[in-house]
Amino acid sequence: MAHAPEHVEQYVCVNCQVTYAGSVTSEGGQRHFHPPDDCPVCGDPDFVQLESYVHRALEQST
């Protein structure tokens, strides 16, 4: 069976748009990714997954 590389979830700070790789935890053989508690650049705690960032940005601009 071929190994499929894992996709690391990325998070975008809603305030300053800096992107972070999620920190990983493991439970029952499954990995879970989490954003930082606060953005190290601006201190804001609000993050959105990279895949959802465009949709969130469009919602906020209307």
Side-chain angles (χ1 to χ4, degrees):
M1 181 165 145
H3 175 72
E6 288 191 58
H7 173 73
V8 175
E9 290 184 22
Q10 295 181 1
Y11 298 91
V12 180
C13 173
V14 174
N15 184 53
C16 69
Q17 292 80 39
V18 174
T19 304
Y20 297 94
S23 57
V24 64
T25 58
S26 182
E27 289 182 24
Q30 292 186 347
R31 292 187 176 97
H32 304 278
F33 295 92
H34 309 280
D37 292 332
D38 297 312
C39 178
V41 175
C42 71
D44 196 296
D46 197 13
F47 291 88
V48 64
Q49 285 187 328
L50 182 62
E51 292 83 12
S52 301
Y53 176 71
V54 172
H55 301 290
R56 171 96 179 241
L58 289 173
E59 288 174 2
Q60 290 180 344
S61 69
T62 57

